[in-house]
Amino acid sequence: MRVAGLHARASLRELMRMPGYVVPTLGFPTMFFLFFAAPGSDDDATTLMVVFAGFAVLGVAFFQFGVGIATERATPWERYVRTLPVSPTQRFGGRIISALVFAAAAAALVLVAAVLTTSADLRAPQWGQLAVALLLGSIPFALFGIALGYLAPPRAALPIANVVYLTLSYCGGLWTTPDELPDAVQQLSPYLPTRALADTLVGIARGDPIQREAWLVLALYTGALLALAAWAYRHDEGERYR
Amino acid sequence: MTAVARLEGVSKSFGQVCALDDVSYEIPHGEIVALLGPNGAGKTTSLSLLLGLRRPDRGTAQLFGDDPTRPVTRRRLGTTPQEMAFPGTLRVDEVVDLVRAHYAEPPSTESLLGRFELGALGRRQTGGLSGGERRRLAVALAFAGAPELVVLDEPTTGLDVEARGAVWQELRLFVSSGGTVLLTTHYLEEAEALATKVVVIDRGRVAAAGSVDEIRARAGAGRISFRREPLPSNLAGDVSEDGDRVVIHASHPEEVVRQLVHTGARLQDLDVRPLPLEEALRLLPRGS
């Protein structure tokens, strides 16, 4: 745990000193919210706030895991770190802690911007539920990011992550609310993990009971993506470290 | 003498390419072992097996008598990879601190940086280091955990003469205080100056192993030269001409000289000297 913390601290330091990473990762979802969601929002301000918070957390899951792993995996530094007495679990622990910090910051920015500029608001227990839902709901996406990081060539990871991130976010209803999507997208949407995430978040915003079906979908995706991520990780080890 | 690390009958292929074919060598405690061989011979691949970065297809790789792919096995190991780039925005002292934190009794960051003449660079971001400074930091990191064995892949490539001498000095000091070193090098003079034992790898096989003297003895121990004159045809050596002189590389130069004296050769300006390791390696019988 101590070693995982040290790796997290090093990774946070490294990233914090790269404005080119920090500003877009943290600012992009908030900017999107302020441009496209906040104007004209009224009754649905709270719903829009929570789905955009989901959008923000997803970005960190895709980019910090996916793009981060893909670009690091080919570096001499990564090869060197693998000769240190550190286990893969400790390294993943470090990655997760550092991603959590960024995800929390990105989501907090959206929430603050929404509360300040729109009529969005939640009751105290709802804020707590939102935090838990964002944390649990982002797990399958972090796993997808890990799989992408180990499967995609370093230069391809960023464009792939972008396309998947934006497409899934839109089709899942993280930029509008799920029921405002065009018909064609509505047909596809229920099968997407982002839609399940959106449903859980919207449920919390509306004070509905727990969205069992959406959570089940997320759990299924988590299982499948865990298998894919584990396979991708071992495949990488196999290719380069047999 | 106990072996700190050993490869036993290891083979390793990458697709169709066989990088190592039934390679065995060991690193005895307290020695400086130099791994020599041309580019692509399999030196770095064999190191990656000892460091737990890869697993052999066949055979076993052992580090401190244990499996190198287990993180705990690597607690007494320090490494310097052939190429090194650090996370560019981290400072030198931050990188050193991160690496030190993996070990039980690391030396202080200041003393480590001081030993490798990096003392003034602690607050510098690693992205701004020169090639030589990066190389020295990479070597310094191998010592960040007070290791018992350091494995250095071409530790002095790209260093100037002075910095190379300083690294040599550190390695000798390390061994005299009970450490063990395995290094690869392209510089034969580095192996000659530093190594107590040499393992020659060529095309994925161990071509020769032993002390520098033994390798030299096996390869052909001496170089004889004298003013040109007619020679008998059955000399036990490799004859060539250099200007007005005859040059003979021979595994037993004294026998060649005896033979020449018997045939009444004049041997004007006779010169007999041991072969530099570089020439000795070139004369090694393949696959011996």
Side-chain angles (χ1 to χ4, degrees):
Chain A
M1 194 58 205
R2 185 185 66 95
V3 174
L6 287 162
H7 279 267
R9 198 173 67 180
S11 139
L12 283 172
R13 266 191 185 140
E14 187 191 353
L15 292 174
M16 296 285 195
R17 291 175 193 164
M18 290 186 222
Y21 177 79
V22 177
V23 174
T25 307
L26 297 187
F28 190 53
T30 304
M31 194 181 80
F32 248 52
F33 178 81
L34 292 175
F35 284 178
F36 303 118
S41 73
D42 190 15
D43 299 345
D44 55 355
T46 305
T47 324
L48 285 168
M49 170 181 76
V50 295
V51 291
F52 269 85
F55 175 61
V57 170
L58 236 60
V60 176
F62 276 91
F63 291 101
Q64 201 152 331
F65 287 103
V67 181
I69 288 173
T71 45
E72 279 169 28
R73 135 181 103 89
T75 61
W77 174 249
E78 174 64 23
R79 191 184 150 89
Y80 171 73
V81 171
R82 291 213 194 197
T83 70
L84 297 176
V86 58
S87 66
T89 319
Q90 289 168 318
R91 306 242 15 238
F92 272 114
R95 272 186 203 289
I96 291 167
I97 297 170
S98 124
L100 280 176
V101 172
F102 267 95
L109 271 178
V110 170
L111 299 178
V112 169
V115 169
L116 291 181
T117 64
T118 70
S119 59
D121 199 12
L122 289 173
R123 285 174 294 111
Q126 283 174 302
W127 288 114
Q129 290 166 4
L130 177 64
V132 174
L134 286 174
L135 182 65
L136 294 179
S138 61
I139 292 173
F141 302 100
L143 290 170
F144 176 82
I146 291 170
L148 176 71
Y150 285 110
L151 292 176
R155 281 165 193 274
L158 183 62
I160 294 176
N162 260 317
V163 168
V164 177
Y165 172 49
L166 297 178
T167 312
L168 276 185
S169 296
Y170 171 72
C171 295
L174 291 176
W175 291 351
T176 55
T177 54
D179 28 281
E180 283 172 44
L181 291 168
D183 283 346
V185 182
Q186 284 279 13
Q187 302 282 316
L188 171 75
S189 188
Y191 304 102
L192 300 177
T194 33
R195 172 59 182 275
L197 178 66
D199 284 344
T200 64
L201 298 174
V202 171
I204 290 168
R206 291 180 178 154
D208 292 345
I210 283 192
Q211 307 286 311
R212 288 177 192 281
E213 218 168 287
W215 280 113
L216 182 68
V217 172
L218 283 175
L220 288 176
Y221 269 105
T222 302
L225 289 166
L226 179 65
L228 181 66
W231 180 82
Y233 177 73
R234 251 183 267 126
H235 174 77
D236 178 59
E237 293 261 296
E239 194 168 56
R240 302 191 313 128
Y241 300 111
R242 194 155 38 206
Chain B
M1 224 180 315
T2 50
V4 176
R6 73 152 55 89
L7 290 180
E8 238 171 65
V10 301
S11 299
K12 177 76 196 168
S13 300
F14 299 107
Q16 296 294 309
V17 184
C18 178
L20 294 175
D21 180 15
D22 193 22
V23 166
S24 301
Y25 64 78
E26 58 176 46
I27 315 302
H29 176 82
E31 306 263 359
I32 300 184
V33 179
L35 216 50
L36 285 172
N39 282 330
K43 301 188 297 284
T44 299
T45 303
S46 81
L47 289 195
S48 71
L49 299 178
L50 285 175
L51 303 181
L53 288 168
R54 301 176 198 269
R55 292 174 203 276
D57 296 341
R58 274 195 307 282
T60 54
Q62 278 195 340
L63 187 64
F64 305 114
D66 211 336
D67 175 4
T69 63
R70 296 178 58 216
V72 285
T73 310
R74 302 193 295 263
R75 278 189 188 150
R76 293 179 282 160
L77 168 75
T79 70
T80 299
Q82 193 178 100
E83 285 171 72
M84 189 58 140
F86 305 96
T89 56
L90 291 187
R91 295 195 317 252
V92 169
D93 55 0
E94 288 168 346
V95 168
V96 174
D97 283 340
L98 176 65
V99 173
R100 283 173 66 245
H102 291 83
Y103 300 96
E105 289 170 8
S108 77
T109 302
E110 304 80 69
S111 74
L112 191 67
L113 291 180
R115 269 161 67 191
F116 291 89
E117 289 155 41
L118 294 163
L121 302 177
R123 314 276 306 164
R124 184 95 68 82
Q125 288 193 341
T126 58
L129 296 179
S130 74
E133 289 163 348
R134 263 208 315 275
R135 200 73 211 133
R136 293 208 308 273
L137 177 56
V139 175
L141 288 182
F143 294 88
E148 290 170 33
L149 168 69
V150 293
V151 176
L152 311 129
D153 202 352
E154 296 182 24
T156 61
T157 301
L159 290 186
D160 56 34
V161 176
E162 204 174 320
R164 185 182 303 173
V167 169
W168 288 3
Q169 191 54 37
E170 274 303 321
L171 291 179
R172 290 197 184 101
L173 210 66
F174 173 64
V175 168
S176 70
S177 66
T180 305
V181 175
L182 170 61
L183 59 90
T184 70
T185 179
H186 277 306
Y187 303 110
L188 287 154
E189 79 255 34
E190 185 158 78
E192 274 190 293
L194 208 54
T196 51
K197 204 185 151 203
V198 174
V199 175
V200 184
I201 294 194
D202 188 21
R203 286 175 285 182
R205 297 179 140 266
V206 174
S211 68
V212 174
D213 290 340
E214 280 166 6
I215 297 277
R216 209 178 265 143
R218 283 181 66 175
R223 176 183 181 278
I224 304 158
S225 79
F226 47 87
R227 191 75 60 79
R228 191 152 64 191
E229 60 180 299
L231 292 176
S233 58
N234 58 344
L235 278 177
D238 216 10
V239 182
S240 57
E241 288 184 4
D242 181 15
D244 64 341
R245 296 179 71 83
V246 180
V247 178
I248 305 172
H249 288 151
S251 49
H252 300 283
E254 65 286 353
E255 279 177 19
V256 176
V257 173
R258 210 175 290 132
Q259 195 184 357
L260 285 167
V261 170
H262 266 295
T263 60
R266 293 164 62 205
L267 302 178
Q268 265 189 329
D269 296 336
L270 176 67
D271 178 64
V272 182
R273 60 178 72 171
L275 270 186
L277 193 54
E278 182 164 23
E279 289 179 46
L281 290 176
R282 209 175 295 137
L283 285 180
L284 264 184
R286 292 287 178 195
S288 66

